[in-house]
Amino acid sequence: MTYLSCYGVCIGVKQAGSMTGTSVANSFKSSQITQFPYGPIEFDAAGIRLPQYNLSWQNKNGTLMIAYTATFIKSTCVQNRCFEVSITAVNDIAWKNNRNPTLNECVYNGGCVNYVPYIIGGGVAIFLISIMILFFFYRRQRRLDAFRMHWKIVRSAIKVIENKQSSVKGKGGNPDATTLSSKRRVIPAYAILETTKAEFIALKHMSHIRFGKDELNYIMDLKRINHDNLTNFIGICYNDGDKFYILHNLVERASLEDYVFDSDFKLDETFRSAFLRDILKGLSYLHKSPVGYHGLLSLSNCLIDANWVLKLTNFGSY
């Protein structure tokens, strides 16, 4: 190394024609020295030697085998450190025979492609397309359900029963548990559809009714209502006879009106809070549903079933 350094200084002094350090250093900028005993040496625009690297391995005999050489070549540019790299295959066959066979060929030739972004993009695209297809079929099914009118009831399927039952009250002014549990609503009539009991609103049929698309969707939304504090909407009978029927599931025990105006029944705080909670839960569900409102909220439309759960009925009918 000392010999090469001295040799380089001598060449620099010769090139610069001066012994000053600055002149010698400047003489090496963007130059090439061919007189070195180990081959030519090139310098970049900053006067820094451009190195040469070898990619090699040691074979079984301990001999160092060179596969590729990387030579840095000076390049003209406005920056001080500009250079190009030249890769030369010295012993490519030997390199291929000794490299790791488990690695893919593209690792060595630089042709590997990262498919992860394509897989993720394809998965996202398939997911979005699937959502769009499902949404399309969902909307289509809703339209078909509306026009199929599963809620329409023929008049011959409705058997109207006149109710002659009277209310049951306890004796002696204070109702006992048996009396309260056997209390029943007094309604003029109810209907039977196969095995289902229903209460109904009957209106006089004045003319032929033809529902539009919005009305059909609204009635289908009524049919889809399902909540513990709402009676089930069964359907409508129309254009079939002289009456228009709106039917809900029958709750037989009593209405809130029956208990509020029953002097024998003491509506304490426990009952009040429970009934109020049930009313609010039912209304909250209705207001968030496509139906949007009750329309006829009254004590008589707040029904109490056998489990003392209050259910709202006749909603969305007006």
Side-chain angles (χ1 to χ4, degrees), residues 169-232:
K169 293 187 178 181
K171 298 179 181 180
N174 293 319
D176 56 20
T178 304
T179 303
L180 288 176
S181 62
S182 62
K183 188 178 183 68
R184 291 293 181 269
R185 296 168 59 200
V186 180
I187 53 178
Y190 63 92
I192 295 180
L193 290 82
E194 297 180 350
T195 59
T196 303
K197 289 184 177 181
E199 61 178 302
F200 59 86
I201 298 174
L203 305 172
K204 185 174 179 59
H205 222 310
M206 302 298 294
S207 61
H208 183 82
I209 297 174
R210 181 180 178 85
F211 290 118
K213 179 180 177 181
D214 292 339
E215 288 83 4
L216 291 174
N217 287 328
Y218 178 77
I219 298 173
M220 198 62 217
D221 288 333
L222 284 174
K223 185 67 175 176
R224 293 191 182 100
I225 291 292
N226 183 19
H227 192 268
D228 291 339
N229 299 113
L230 299 171
T231 60
N232 293 328

Side-chain angles (χ1 to χ4, degrees), residues 116 129 180 305:
V116 173
I129 292 173
L180 288 176
D305 68 7

Side-chain angles (χ1 to χ4, degrees), residues 92-163:
D92 192 46
I93 297 176
W95 167 251
K96 289 182 178 180
N97 292 336
N98 287 273
R99 65 191 181 187
N100 190 344
T102 61
L103 295 179
N104 195 291
E105 181 68 23
C106 69
V107 175
Y108 299 101
N109 59 29
C112 291
V113 179
N114 184 8
Y115 291 101
V116 173
Y118 298 99
I119 295 173
I120 294 175
V124 171
I126 293 173
F127 175 76
L128 293 177
I129 292 173
S130 301
I131 292 296
M132 294 174 63
I133 292 174
L134 290 175
F135 181 73
F136 168 78
F137 281 106
Y138 169 75
R139 292 293 300 272
R140 182 174 180 270
Q141 187 62 43
R142 284 181 65 92
R143 289 195 298 269
L144 290 176
D145 287 343
F147 286 101
R148 285 170 180 165
M149 297 188 292
H150 298 295
W151 42 264
K152 186 176 181 180
I153 303 170
V154 296
R155 180 62 183 85
S156 59
I158 302 174
K159 183 179 180 181
V160 177
I161 306 296
E162 298 293 334
N163 192 358

Side-chain angles (χ1 to χ4, degrees), residues 229 256 267-284 297 302 304 308-310 312:
N229 299 113
L256 188 56
L267 196 63
D268 60 19
E269 291 299 326
T270 301
F271 280 106
R272 289 178 184 175
S273 59
F275 292 158
L276 182 59
R277 182 191 65 241
D278 290 345
I279 292 172
L280 292 176
K281 287 168 67 176
L283 288 177
S284 176
L297 185 61
C302 297
I304 300 166
W308 294 94
V309 176
L310 188 145
L312 304 180

Side-chain angles (χ1 to χ4, degrees), residues 252-271:
E252 295 189 71
R253 164 165 278 182
S255 69
L256 188 56
E257 182 179 36
D258 296 329
Y259 284 114
V260 168
F261 293 105
D262 187 349
S263 59
D264 293 333
F265 181 76
K266 303 302 180 183
L267 196 63
D268 60 19
E269 291 299 326
T270 301
F271 280 106

